[in-house]
Every structure is written in C-alpha cells, then in structure tokens.
Amino acid sequence: MSDERPVEASAVADRYRGLADEVRALGGDRVRIVAVTKTFPPEAIAAVVAAGCERIGENYARELIDKWERFTSAHRAGPVPEVHFIGGLQSNKVRSLVGIVEVWQSIDRESVVAELSHRRPGARILLQVNATGESDKGGCRPDQLDALMSAATSGGLTVEGLMTVGPTDGDPERTENAFRTVARLASDLDLPELSMGMSGDWRVAVAQGSTLIRVGSAIFGERPPRTL
Ligand SMILES: *Cc1c(COP(=O)(O)O)cnc(C)c1O
C-alpha cells in the first residue's frame, strides 16, 4: 500500500464537497463521482465516505483486498461505499475480488469476460475502450467493441456502459475527441453509463456526457508511490 502518511480528513472533505458542488453545477444529477483511492490508506476511504461520497475506485487487486479488510474492520457501523475496479485486470485476479468489487469498469478482453461470467454471474460491468490509440492504455479498440459486447451479454453480465481514459498529454482537443468518440459508441449500443474524466479532464468529459467521473488527486492530493 502506501507510505501511510496521515490523511487530513477535513481537507479531503472540503475538496470532495467543493468538487461535488461544481459537478452538480456543470452536470446536474446525471454525474456521479468515483473517488479514486489507489495508493492512499484506508483512512482516505473513511474520510471521503464521511463527506458523502458513495463510490470509490481502485486499480490494484492486492492493494484493494488488503485495504478493504482494514477499512471494513475499522468501520463496522458506518456507510460502505460501492467499490469500482478501474485498473488493468487479469482473469486470475477476478476470483479474489468478487466479494469486494460491485462495478467492474475496466473489462477489455474476452478472457476476463469469461472468468467473470463464471465467478460472478450477472456482474455489473463497463467495457473499457481505448479511443486514443496509445499502446500503454487499457481498453479494447473501438472496432473490437461489438464482439466484446456480445461476449459479455451472452455470458450473462450486466453491461451498464463504457469507460475510457483520455490522452496522457491532456491535449484539450484530443481529449474532447476521445470522449466524443466513446460517447457516440455508448449511444450506438444504447448503454446508459459513461465513465470518462479524471482530475485533469473531468469538465471536458462532463460536457461530452459523462455520467461517472473518476477523481483521485483533486480530492486526496498528490498520490504517494505505490508499494504493494
Ligand atoms: C488513477 C486513475 C484515476 C484518477 O486519476 P487522478 O488524475 O488522480 O484523478 C482515474 N481513472 C483511472 C483509470 C486511474 O488509473
């Protein structure tokens, strides 16, 4: 996990509430916030949930399992957020995550679809699309999406929408184009959810129809390095 720097709960709460206000002003009730807690300690989850956040996002299986155990044992009474898995996912990790993850946002290959259909029939998923052509990014190519969609529905999974990550360089025009492309793909497939936008580009994503933004550093500050 992280170096376990103390989490300043009041600063997290202030930033979360400020973000939520701005999101509501720009996107109304359509847009929900997934607070990305990767590499932050369990107290970060507690802080953002106490501020009213209902969803958290995590990227790494081992880290999530360990953190979730610590979070749930320390917060037996309070509200529990919905856990979204947003990182690169290999099929051999699915089994260990089925009791924790409620929304699988980063499904981008048929091997994972098959494993998840087997381990968690009916699971709620988003299909991740790589709309920037960057080879370091997860996601299927847009021309692979129909086949992946068919595999997921025939496997009995609940496909709620699409997920994408904007271009790494943050170029405004390329960002907007990528989000527009994915929004169109979701609309062609009649899928209601669109997970697009992070700390640096969520406003562009909301303008293109995002319904789920995944925000980490704008809530929690600079991320500590990954150690687990
Ligand atoms: C880390 C991460 C985020 C959050 O990034 P920030 O820039 O800190 O908001 C969102 N989505 C994915 C897929 C990530 O890996």
Side-chain angles (χ1 to χ4, degrees):
M1 190 156 319
S2 67
D3 59 1
E4 311 274 311
R5 241 182 284 174
V7 170
E8 289 181 57
S10 66
V12 166
D14 286 348
R15 285 191 295 251
Y16 175 77
R17 293 198 187 103
L19 175 70
D21 286 346
E22 203 189 341
V23 167
R24 209 172 299 114
L26 293 177
D29 291 338
R30 182 190 82 220
V31 187
R32 282 141 297 139
I33 300 168
V34 177
V36 177
T37 45
K38 66 170 175 235
T39 78
F40 289 102
E43 292 74 28
I45 302 179
V48 78
V49 166
C53 183
E54 296 174 356
R55 295 164 191 84
I56 62 134
E58 287 279 344
N59 291 58
Y60 309 108
R62 182 68 251 152
E63 179 189 328
L64 169 56
I65 292 162
D66 183 71
K67 193 185 299 186
W68 193 248
E69 163 63 31
R70 292 170 58 200
F71 169 75
T72 51
S73 53
H75 297 87
R76 290 190 188 284
V80 171
E82 183 176 87
V83 177
H84 291 232
F85 198 80
I86 64 171
L89 181 60
Q90 283 145 3
S91 25
N92 63 1
K93 297 285 166 51
V94 167
R95 183 182 185 179
S96 61
L97 292 172
V98 287
I100 300 174
V101 173
E102 287 188 56
V103 181
W104 306 75
Q105 289 209 8
S106 43
I107 304 298
D108 65 357
R109 66 196 71 182
E110 292 188 23
S111 56
V112 176
V113 163
E115 180 68 10
L116 193 55
S117 307
H118 173 57
R119 300 281 174 197
R120 183 82 163 80
R124 298 166 58 196
I125 69 167
L126 308 185
L127 301 175
Q128 184 176 353
V129 182
N130 181 339
T132 68
E134 291 163 297
S135 59
D136 61 326
K137 285 209 160 64
C140 70
R141 293 196 315 263
D143 66 1
Q144 297 171 320
L145 185 59
D146 284 348
L148 193 60
M149 176 84 190
S150 304
T153 40
S154 59
L157 298 177
T158 309
V159 184
E160 297 188 338
L162 302 182
M163 180 273 227
T164 200
V165 177
T168 304
D169 68 12
D171 175 76
E173 198 177 319
R174 298 209 311 127
T175 303
E176 191 176 311
N177 286 340
F179 292 160
R180 183 179 296 117
T181 298
V182 176
R184 192 173 305 131
L185 292 167
S187 147
D188 289 348
L189 291 167
D190 248 328
L191 294 172
E193 299 285 356
L194 261 183
S195 175
M196 315 194 295
M198 322 199 322
S199 292
D201 58 14
W202 70 263
R203 292 173 186 82
V204 182
V206 166
Q208 293 303 323
S210 180
T211 64
L212 286 165
I213 59 172
R214 310 176 307 270
V215 178
S217 42
I219 299 171
F220 301 106
E222 197 188 331
R223 253 189 299 282
R226 184 178 169 209
T227 58
L228 190 85

